[in-house]
Amino acid sequence: MLINCGPLSDFVQARYVIHLSTGKRLVLFRLPSIDPSGSKPNETGGWSYYSMEAECPHAGGPMQDSQVDIEDSAYVVSCPWHAYDFNVETGESSVGIKACTFPVDVRDGSVTLDFPVDDGSIVKLDKIEPVSEKVKLKHARPSDKPAPTRADPGMAQFLDDKATLCDWAVHILNTANPEHKIELTIHLFSIFTEREASASPMEIGRGTIAAPDQPPREKMKTLEPGKMPRAGNGGSVRSRIAMLHALANIELWAIDLAIDICVRFSTFHTEKSSQGLPRAYFHDWLKVASDEAKHFSLLRTRIEELGSHFGALPVHHSLWQSAMETAHDLRSRISIIALVHEARGLDVNPMTIQKFRNAGDAESVAALEIIHNDEITHVTTGHRWLTWICDQEGTDPVQVFRNNVSKHFRGTIRGPFNEEARLQAGMDRRYYETTPSEVAAV
């Protein structure tokens, strides 16, 4: 049956989640037309519209967060959990499974979806939700205003078109102002992605510039992790501000970590096979950095809405300490930062969200749920690239991970574990369950 999704003028973002009365969820993609002729029913005004099931048929990954690429003059989307790819028009995949896709017609000023039904049953549109892609910048630069390249303390300083990815990375790492840092990070991911589809992709600049030992911070009181004041259980506004502030500090460091892993290890080569890192590696970590910038902006905004500001409370730098502990080896960096610290976030996020839900703080819950869903894909990115390295070197990623944990992580990995979220990210129990030999050692 045909389902009217609404006026064409309402669709201005790249992707939407469609909720049907049956409980079925679909993703609607709005993408630049590859064929500008506009001869197909799903094309109009330079845009093409596609719809597919919202859950990846492999393991249920969120296709609304998929990566979009062009292959053989067709759009292909890759699931953020395990990188299974699907043609958005046919649903076909290079791995042999197929996703359900649904024809879209955009004639007569409306977007209409052709959805199959059985026995004449009626399916109705429940709601349509735009997928959050916006960063809450304090001083957004107008799109028609040139990016400033000369010193102006009130604005983020943008590099010119000749700058390499590593030039940009070091510039972002050396930017102390958090508002400038998130604006530059979002911009870098945007232009890197845009140029990947052009005849002049951005140069990586491997080995041409060194990352700083530690990114600077401005106007922050720093304490040792063990001396940080307790945030409480979220029952009061003051407690919730403290919790959000601590999370915002983590997200700010997470931006630097995702940027640092690009430049610090740009010259990495695998052992035996001597493979350098492919461009997809840099794209994936820039996507992580862009997400972390979005997360910081959401948390900073919520802190201000509650009557405070980022920097009002002390912070610690333990995440960067872990980064420096693993600065010598990419396998160690991925193991500790992505597969220990970020994976631990998957364990505790649901409990944190529940505290805010118990307090009736729906606005904070909404931001934290966006962050949690994104963080699953970040652990996936770590798992994907550790596995890639181990595949090239003929080693076991689980064993490599556990060896690095024993060398570079103080203490043991303790539960409770969010087994579902970890598995979605590619981490089965072999990565974190205590082995009999470890029990005996204790």
Side-chain angles (χ1 to χ4, degrees), residues 404-425:
N404 278 307
V405 169
S406 66
K407 292 177 184 177
H408 304 295
F409 185 71
R410 296 169 185 167
T412 59
I413 301 176
R414 301 179 182 275
F417 301 110
N418 186 339
E419 295 186 8
E420 179 182 2
R422 282 173 174 256
L423 187 60
Q424 289 171 349

Side-chain angles (χ1 to χ4, degrees), residues 159-163 195:
L159 303 183
D160 61 31
D161 292 340
K162 296 180 181 179
R195 289 179 61 177

Side-chain angles (χ1 to χ4, degrees), residues 40 46 102 119 122 130 133 140-141 157 162 164 281 295 328 333 344 423 432:
K40 296 181 179 180
F102 309 92
D119 305 323
I122 297 177
E133 298 176 337
R141 178 172 50 87
Q157 303 306 306
K162 296 180 181 179
T164 67
Y281 167 90
H295 299 170
H328 65 289
R333 170 65 68 86
R344 186 55 181 159
L423 187 60
Y432 53 86

Side-chain angles (χ1 to χ4, degrees), residues 40-55:
K40 296 181 179 180
N42 68 322
E43 296 178 347
T44 186
W47 297 95
S48 294
Y49 297 76
Y50 306 90
S51 182
M52 67 184 300
E53 57 185 321
E55 287 77 33

